[in-house]
Amino acid sequence: MAHSADKGRVSSRSVLRAILFLFGVCLVGYSIRPLWYLRLKEKATAPGSDCAKDDPELNEELRKDIITLTLEELELHKSVANETLEHTKVLVSDARRASSHYQKEAEKCNAGVEICEEARERAESQLIVERNLSTLWEERSRKLGWKDSRRL
């Protein structure tokens, strides 16, 4: 009976063998991986290099050295900077035009306000003169016997 109980249990020796086997497989895979990756890379680049043989523009681009590429990039940056500068100049010109227009409108408005203020001051002084005249005439009328019917 004791022998049949051992069949159901997994021995620690067999677990150790399985672990060592997996470790060995991983080690072999890790060792072969760079070689396998290099072969795949060569296979992938081989068709790509065949395609470029017939394209003269691509061949010319690939033959350029770092100085030529840097100069082309600088020229591209220069043209972008010039376009941006021109766009900025147009925007500044538009802003100046709008500012000038609004300044003229503000000057018109200020002139109109000054005219209205002067007219209000004249009307106020005329009203004071009229009130004084009204008071004077009312006093004269009372002296002559006039009685205000509204005050009664």
Side-chain angles (χ1 to χ4, degrees), residues 14 17 20 43 46 49 54 59 68 71 78 81 87-88 96 99 101-102 105 111 117 152:
S14 54
R17 282 183 187 168
L20 285 175
K43 287 181 181 178
S49 63
D54 298 332
N59 286 334
T68 307
L71 288 175
K78 184 178 177 182
H87 181 68
T88 303
R96 284 184 179 156
S99 173
H101 172 73
Y102 289 130
E105 291 296 320
E117 186 64 25
L152 294 176

Side-chain angles (χ1 to χ4, degrees), residues 133-150:
L133 281 175
S134 294
T135 304
L136 178 68
W137 281 104
E138 189 175 338
E139 287 175 3
R140 286 184 185 170
S141 300
R142 287 187 194 280
K143 284 181 186 175
L144 293 174
W146 176 77
K147 292 186 180 179
D148 190 3
S149 60
R150 291 178 292 173

